[in-house]
Amino acid sequence: MNQAPLHIVLSFTDWLSLFGHYMLLSLMSIGGAISTSTEMHRYLVEEHHWLTQAQFNNAIAIAQAAPGPNVLFVALMGWNVGLNAGSYAAAFGGVAVTMLGILIPSTTLTYLAARWGHRNRELLGVRAFKQGMAPVVVGLMVSVGVILATANGNPATDWPLWAVAGVAGLLIWRTRIHLLWLLAGGALAGWFLPA
């Protein structure tokens, strides 16, 4: 899906809003920042139109395929928002705003909660909380898959994405195949299947 590049103007208030939004998302990022990408999509693509759908999908795909922490997709989104604002300086600013916003609250909270949870790991409430969060994380991950697979908003053209997602889900669930093989298979499928 090709879309024209965006040309946006961001005020100081917009940058502050972006930073604050990523700080809030950071506190919701149970299971990793990728679990909040549905909300990032709503905020950046649908509500403010600071990113195109293609830029959003590319940021996630590149970060997932690249070695290193998958939170790099947040930096790519910030980079693209800055580029859409018109300069490389804004792109670096976008990286700083989004990465600091997504990392500071969750890192601080994780550090403090991990220390407390380790000291109280035998409490029933602590064990119940850990088990109760598992379905929440799975639900957030499924919502991310739905957002990515509906890139074109047309089921007649999106069926290859759904097919690849379904096959990959089954293989992850029923086999121990390494995820890099699935990424390679998805890349080949993307090469040969109709867009």
Side-chain angles (χ1 to χ4, degrees):
M1 181 176 174
N2 292 325
Q3 294 179 338
L6 295 175
H7 301 287
I8 60 176
V9 176
L10 296 177
S11 66
F12 177 76
T13 306
D14 291 329
W15 286 110
L16 196 59
S17 173
L18 182 65
F19 180 66
H21 194 76
Y22 270 82
M23 288 187 78
L24 290 174
L25 290 177
S26 177
L27 295 174
M28 292 176 45
S29 60
I30 301 162
I34 192 74
S35 65
T36 61
S37 59
T38 306
E39 174 56 22
M40 292 178 197
H41 180 271
R42 186 199 64 77
Y43 185 79
L44 295 172
V45 178
E46 295 176 2
E47 183 177 324
H48 290 288
H49 307 287
W50 290 342
L51 285 183
T52 65
Q53 180 69 48
Q55 287 175 322
F56 182 86
N57 285 358
N58 290 342
I60 291 181
I62 291 169
Q64 296 302 308
N70 71 2
V71 75
L72 293 178
F73 77 93
V74 172
L76 288 172
M77 289 180 188
W79 175 264
N80 284 321
V81 167
L83 280 183
N84 290 340
S87 71
Y88 285 110
F92 282 110
V95 170
V97 164
T98 55
M99 286 302 286
L100 289 174
I102 202 73
L103 290 177
I104 290 174
S106 61
T107 303
T108 305
L109 182 63
T110 299
Y111 175 74
L112 296 174
R115 289 174 55 103
W116 183 87
H118 184 71
R119 282 195 311 269
N120 298 287
R121 61 186 175 275
E122 299 303 325
L123 293 176
L124 179 62
V126 172
R127 290 184 303 179
F129 177 79
K130 288 180 178 177
Q131 290 180 350
M133 291 311 294
V136 173
V137 171
V138 170
L140 289 170
M141 295 304 293
V142 168
S143 69
V144 170
V146 169
I147 287 291
L148 293 176
T150 56
N152 297 323
N154 182 357
T157 59
D158 289 343
W159 71 266
L161 296 172
W162 287 99
V164 170
V167 170
L170 284 173
L171 289 173
I172 291 170
W173 178 36
R174 304 300 295 177
T175 70
R176 293 182 173 267
I177 190 169
H178 198 280
L179 293 180
L180 289 178
W181 288 112
L182 293 176
L183 285 171
L188 285 174
W191 181 269
F192 291 110
L193 291 175

